[in-house]
Amino acid sequence: MSDDKSDGVPFAGTSTTRDASDAMEKTSSGIYDLIGVKGKASENFPGVTECAGKDRKTHFRIYHPWSFHPASASDLDEAMERLKRELPKHGWKIVEYGPDTSRNKNINLTADNDKKKVSVNIVKMAKSDRPSLSLDLVSGCYRVPEGQKVDLYPS
């Protein structure tokens, strides 16, 4: 996510943790829809974490890790290619794509959505026992509305 702040984390706006968590689930659902192959997503919920250098009582970030297991291992390549092709059509800018340094040389895709103030890292884990995509979304830094505190368990 682009920003001119020294820590590189953009300001995502003012929100309650529940509303920000709901928005992150919608963002994840949108990415799920772009995968375009049959399979099953894990049922992880978004979580709340701190913003580095900010007051923990008033500032927070939302993260949402989840995974996708295609119905057929052969669909994994198609799912990753669809994401690479479709994410930019939906406001995402791919900032990194290619193999990581692991022994398996997993393919990593990192994309930022400046409008939503969300970044996603997707790892194609083709050589694992159960081939899958591992997705990690993280928001920019939110501030809670005046007079409220960060709720660590918004769900």
Side-chain angles (χ1 to χ4, degrees):
M1 290 175 282
S2 61
D3 192 17
D4 55 8
K5 294 185 180 180
S6 59
D7 63 3
V9 177
F11 179 64
T14 300
S15 178
T16 64
T17 49
R18 178 178 300 269
D19 287 347
S21 179
D22 289 348
M24 182 65 84
E25 282 196 89
K26 286 179 185 164
T27 299
S28 285
S29 280
I31 292 173
Y32 175 83
D33 291 343
L34 298 178
I35 291 172
V37 300
K38 292 186 182 210
K40 183 158 177 52
S42 62
E43 295 190 25
N44 299 5
F45 294 101
V48 177
T49 191
E50 66 186 68
C51 291
K54 304 278 187 193
D55 185 341
R56 292 179 183 189
K57 293 177 185 171
T58 58
H59 290 78
F60 66 96
R61 295 176 82 183
I62 299 289
Y63 64 93
H64 190 204
W66 56 282
S67 59
F68 176 80
H69 300 278
S72 167
S74 63
D75 288 339
L76 192 62
D77 289 337
E78 181 182 343
M80 191 66 155
E81 284 301 314
R82 282 186 55 86
L83 288 169
K84 183 181 174 189
R85 183 176 65 244
E86 295 297 322
L87 283 168
K89 295 177 185 175
H90 292 85
W92 296 87
K93 179 182 176 187
I94 295 176
V95 295
E96 185 178 351
Y97 184 85
D100 62 20
T101 57
S102 73
R103 185 176 50 155
N104 289 339
K105 302 287 185 219
N106 296 317
I107 300 297
N108 274 263
L109 183 157
T110 302
D112 295 339
N113 189 312
D114 286 341
K115 183 177 179 185
K116 295 178 187 264
K117 303 296 188 223
V118 174
S119 184
V120 63
N121 177 253
I122 305 167
V123 181
K124 182 176 96 174
M125 301 169 63
K127 296 181 181 176
S128 60
D129 290 340
R130 189 172 173 210
S132 65
L133 297 177
S134 171
L135 299 95
D136 288 297
L137 288 84
V138 65
S139 74
C141 189
Y142 287 97
R143 181 178 53 237
V144 294
E146 192 68 38
Q148 295 192 26
K149 291 186 178 180
V150 171
D151 178 4
L152 295 177
Y153 308 100
S155 299

